[in-house]
Amino acid sequence: VDTDTVVFSQKPDNMWYAGSLAELMTFLIADETIQEPDTVTFKVEQSFIRGLPYTDGCLDKFVGQTLTAYDLMAIMLLTSGSDAAYALASLSTDGDTKAFVDLMNERAALLGCDSTGYASPGMHETSAQYTTCRDLYKLYMTLLKNEHYREIMKLKEYTPEGLDADTYTVKVETSILNP
């Protein structure tokens, strides 16, 4: 990683379904567009969750609570939570998910991820969301330079500030961060 030297590569340009890896780009776009993620808030409403095209239940326990963008980032990465990804997209583009996806695809192009395409901020159950190992490497190297990403990567669990740990802690389980 320090020298940016590839020591092994096998089929780095084969396309595959991106799945919840789209949340990595969602994190990057949200962190770049939300100037103060510790102060920008989102009230989790049941109506928001019900209106999502895909829901995995990561925000269900937070209905009625107000979370910061940073809380949503941590919850999304620790749980691979598409619900939180959609909430971050909503915060970033005033509820315009299509505009957020456009930002994801534009940022991928700027990174040189020529074989990556996004269709939603989170999990998408079709081949409309795809990438390659080479492109994922480019995204990951960018994320490693991001302070918030590095902070969250170190966590095994997270409780939003001011909330009861017994009720509102999320843990690394089926996550893209699970070692």
Side-chain angles (χ1 to χ4, degrees), residues 139-155:
L139 172 58
Y140 191 68
M141 294 305 289
T142 300
L143 287 169
L144 286 179
K145 296 172 189 168
N146 181 292
E147 179 184 348
H148 290 139
Y149 184 78
R150 288 191 318 269
E151 285 173 10
I152 295 169
M153 267 186 59
K154 294 175 186 175
L155 301 175

Side-chain angles (χ1 to χ4, degrees), residues 78-124:
L78 292 174
T79 67
S80 294
S82 290
D83 303 3
Y86 277 96
L88 284 166
S90 182
L91 277 176
S92 298
T93 54
D94 293 325
D96 188 346
T97 303
K98 183 186 177 326
F100 188 85
V101 172
D102 289 344
L103 289 173
M104 293 172 71
N105 287 309
E106 288 168 18
R107 188 67 166 99
L110 285 173
L111 290 174
C113 299
D114 301 325
S115 299
T116 295
Y118 298 106
S120 76
M123 186 81 145
H124 198 274

